[in-house]
Amino acid sequence: MEIEEELTSLLPTLDREKIICIVEHLTDVIGVQQKSDLLFVEAEDLKPFLTPIQIRKLLLAFKDGNRPENLNDTITLKPCPAASAETSSHPPHPSSSTSTTMYNHYSSSWVSHLQIPWGRFPLRLSHAITRGDRAHPEDRRSMVRIVVEVMQVHCRNPKRASCEEVAKIIVNRYPQTFADFTEKGERLGCGHYSLLRSIKSRVEHVNRDNTTHRLRQTKRTRNEEDCSPNSNATSPKKVRCLVDSYGCINWQPVELPEGETPASLEEKKHILLTIFNSEGPGAVERPDVDDFMCLTYISQRQLINSCPSLSVAEIQEQWPFLFTRKGLSNHFYKLTGIDISECLSQALITKGRRIINYFSSQKLKCNLGIRTLIQQIESEGVLTNNKIGTATILLMMKYYKEDEDSLFVLADETSTRMSLEAESNLPITPRLIMLGKKSFMK
């Protein structure tokens, strides 16, 4: 309470919820327990919440007891949703949890201290957990109610990200009981989607009559004027990055490769352009091109993440090798840590077979277009992996009543990109150019 009172006296213009947000960060993350501990707070500890000038004024007040006259008039919280903790009218109870895992910098502080009440779960569910059996639907609903009740002690209206962290804790500890599996025992996606949906639905249900806890911040719009350096508003570039960088492990590097300078990277960029203009996209297989594309990754990301955003054509003009299959796959791997070529191929094969089998079993219930396509697919006999992927896409397009021409462009086997651009009126939106005619595509 004395920490909260100290911050309130220094920042009287801030509402209590924002004060609690900073207090929770200082106590749960930094380890401040009493007012005297504020002497040891450093600028890095407050960086996610305040601007440098504001931090320096607070540190001066903490260490010397000095309070500049204009301190209360100038300090405001800097909007930074990725680093701020969720607010609550109830401060979290300090406790040590043995069932939590390490979270990244963006996790809510109260979730890392949340203790899952395993002992309060229904007896039948406890037995299922012990045996590794699936949870009964009624027991699962009871468990969700109990978990949400405990979550609301810390935060009345947890956000989806916090609900997902809690769902991960439960599923990672007892995957056989709570994870999402198919009838054949194959894990579905992340494995915790259905539990996340149940937890979030329960949160919204218990808050249905409490409009205060259901209020959300007004969405901010972006325009080029807000991107100007003199704008006082939160940088739209940062807002966009916080959304678009989800799932990425290397969204925007800040350190140059060892031994490189901005000038040397720019020189390598010009070399890549020269090679592409003289040898074409096939030069992407050259070892030196591969090395240069890897070294200039930071420059590629800076251009892609620039604000205002550039068009695809503008990016292609500066980084043409990025629009080759190998260049795009390598870039995606550095961005997310995922080999997209391998993952997509495996997904099309495994999930594709399941989709084809489903439509085949439901053939009599399907419309004429799907039945005709199924017959053509079955007439092919044993499908190769490539045909499985194509057939799956075509089936889904038929199911959603999409025109095949909206995705595929059929061309002669001897056609090249240059000849197609010269002879055909290609649409402005992206298409997959299929060389040769597949029987089940007609």
Side-chain angles (χ1 to χ4, degrees):
M1 290 300 295
E2 60 181 3
I3 299 174
E4 181 180 337
E5 292 175 357
E6 176 70 8
L7 290 179
T8 302
S9 64
L10 294 172
L11 309 172
T13 59
L14 297 179
D15 57 56
R16 185 172 181 272
E17 288 188 347
K18 291 183 178 180
I19 293 293
I20 291 178
C21 181
I22 300 178
V23 172
E24 288 181 357
H25 176 74
L26 290 175
T27 56
D28 298 341
V29 180
I30 306 305
V32 175
Q33 299 297 327
Q34 52 191 352
K35 182 178 178 181
S36 58
D37 293 341
L38 294 175
L39 295 172
F40 305 100
V41 174
E42 298 180 354
E44 192 69 23
D45 303 332
L46 297 170
K47 189 175 180 180
F49 301 94
L50 302 172
T51 62
I53 293 298
Q54 296 166 350
I55 292 174
R56 291 167 192 161
K57 290 180 179 179
L58 273 186
L59 294 181
L60 180 64
F62 289 162
K63 296 180 180 180
D64 300 332
N66 298 325
R67 302 193 180 190
E69 296 180 359
N70 61 343
L71 176 67
N72 297 332
D73 297 331
T74 58
I75 291 186
T76 56
L77 280 179
K78 178 182 180 182
C80 187
S84 61
E86 293 181 36
T87 58
S88 169
S89 57
H90 302 281
H93 299 295
S95 61
S96 60
S97 173
T98 59
S99 62
T100 57
T101 57
M102 295 299 294
Y103 296 97
N104 59 33
H105 174 70
Y106 300 112
S107 299
S108 301
S109 59
W110 64 267
V111 177
S112 61
H113 294 275
L114 182 68
Q115 226 174 3
I116 305 297
W118 309 105
R120 292 178 54 190
F121 290 174
L123 182 61
R124 182 170 57 178
L125 179 59
S126 300
H127 291 164
I129 291 175
T130 303
R131 297 191 299 267
D133 297 337
R134 302 295 297 166
H136 189 276
E138 292 184 4
D139 297 334
R140 188 183 175 101
R141 286 192 290 269
S142 299
M143 179 269 291
V144 169
R145 287 194 289 268
I146 294 172
V147 170
V148 172
E149 180 184 340
V150 173
M151 292 170 63
Q152 289 196 303
V153 172
H154 301 268
C155 180
R156 293 300 302 171
N157 188 18
K159 297 178 182 177
R160 182 182 176 86
S162 300
C163 294
E164 184 171 13
E165 291 178 14
V166 175
K168 284 181 182 178
I169 293 174
I170 298 173
V171 170
N172 289 341
R173 181 157 182 175
Y174 299 111
Q176 297 300 322
T177 304
F178 299 109
D180 301 331
F181 290 99
T182 64
E183 295 179 355
K184 296 183 180 180
E186 181 181 354
R187 185 158 177 162
L188 287 172
C190 60
H192 59 261
Y193 176 75
S194 63
L195 183 58
L196 163 63
R197 186 175 57 183
S198 299
I199 292 176
K200 187 57 180 173
S201 297
R202 178 60 184 174
V203 169
E204 293 173 352
H205 176 74
V206 296
N207 285 329
R208 65 193 184 280
D209 295 327
N210 192 332
T211 57
T212 302
H213 293 140
R214 289 193 287 111
L215 290 178
R216 300 294 187 189
Q217 291 182 350
T218 304
K219 292 185 178 180
R220 288 170 292 185
T221 57
R222 303 197 311 266
N223 53 53
E224 295 185 10
E225 181 179 352
D226 292 335
C227 296
S228 62
N230 298 326
S231 174
N232 294 327
T234 303
S235 170
K237 178 180 178 182
K238 292 184 178 180
V239 175
R240 178 169 64 85
C241 291
L242 291 173
V243 175
D244 295 347
S245 62
Y246 178 79
C248 299
I249 61 174
N250 197 12
W251 174 253
Q252 181 56 73
V254 294
E255 295 184 1
L256 296 176
E258 185 177 356
E260 298 293 340
T261 64
S264 65
L265 293 180
E266 188 67 20
E267 181 181 356
K268 289 179 173 60
K269 174 183 176 181
H270 288 301
I271 294 175
L272 289 170
L273 283 171
T274 302
I275 295 175
F276 184 87
N277 292 332
S278 60
E279 301 184 29
V284 72
E285 300 297 336
R286 288 176 43 166
D288 56 341
V289 170
D290 195 23
D291 293 340
F292 283 7
M293 287 294 290
C294 182
L295 290 172
T296 56
Y297 175 80
I298 182 173
S299 302
Q300 299 166 31
R301 295 308 306 171
Q302 287 173 349
L303 184 70
I304 294 172
N305 295 337
S306 60
C307 184
S309 303
L310 299 179
S311 66
V312 174
E314 291 173 319
I315 297 175
Q316 184 176 10
E317 183 179 350
Q318 298 190 44
W319 297 99
F321 282 116
L322 191 57
F323 290 80
T324 62
R325 178 174 180 177
K326 182 177 181 180
L328 184 60
S329 298
N330 291 346
H331 186 94
F332 189 84
Y333 181 78
K334 290 182 68 68
L335 178 65
T336 63
I338 298 173
D339 187 340
I340 187 62
S341 299
E342 181 179 350
C343 291
L344 181 59
S345 299
Q346 290 298 323
L348 284 174
I349 295 171
T350 56
K351 306 298 189 298
R353 290 185 186 277
R354 187 183 307 163
I355 292 173
I356 293 174
N357 292 336
Y358 170 79
F359 281 110
S360 297
S361 65
Q362 303 291 320
K363 183 165 52 177
L364 297 178
K365 300 179 182 179
C366 296
N367 59 44
L368 179 61
I370 294 179
R371 290 202 304 270
T372 303
L373 183 56
I374 286 291
Q375 292 173 358
Q376 294 173 352
I377 293 172
E378 292 175 346
S379 66
E380 290 282 326
V382 179
L383 298 179
T384 62
N385 291 342
N386 288 337
K387 288 187 176 182
I388 289 175
T390 306
T392 302
I393 296 173
L394 288 171
L395 277 172
M396 298 304 297
M397 294 181 72
K398 287 287 186 183
Y399 180 78
Y400 289 108
K401 301 178 181 179
E402 295 283 349
D403 189 359
E404 293 176 5
D405 295 338
S406 64
L407 182 59
F408 294 100
V409 173
L410 294 179
D412 188 80
E413 293 182 359
T414 60
S415 299
T416 63
R417 176 179 175 180
M418 298 294 292
S419 64
L420 288 172
E421 291 179 348
E423 300 172 5
S424 305
N425 294 323
L426 295 178
I428 59 174
T429 55
R431 297 289 196 279
L432 295 175
I433 299 177
M434 308 295 292
L435 300 180
K437 297 181 179 180
K438 302 295 184 180
S439 60
F440 55 80
M441 292 184 65
K442 300 304 290 180

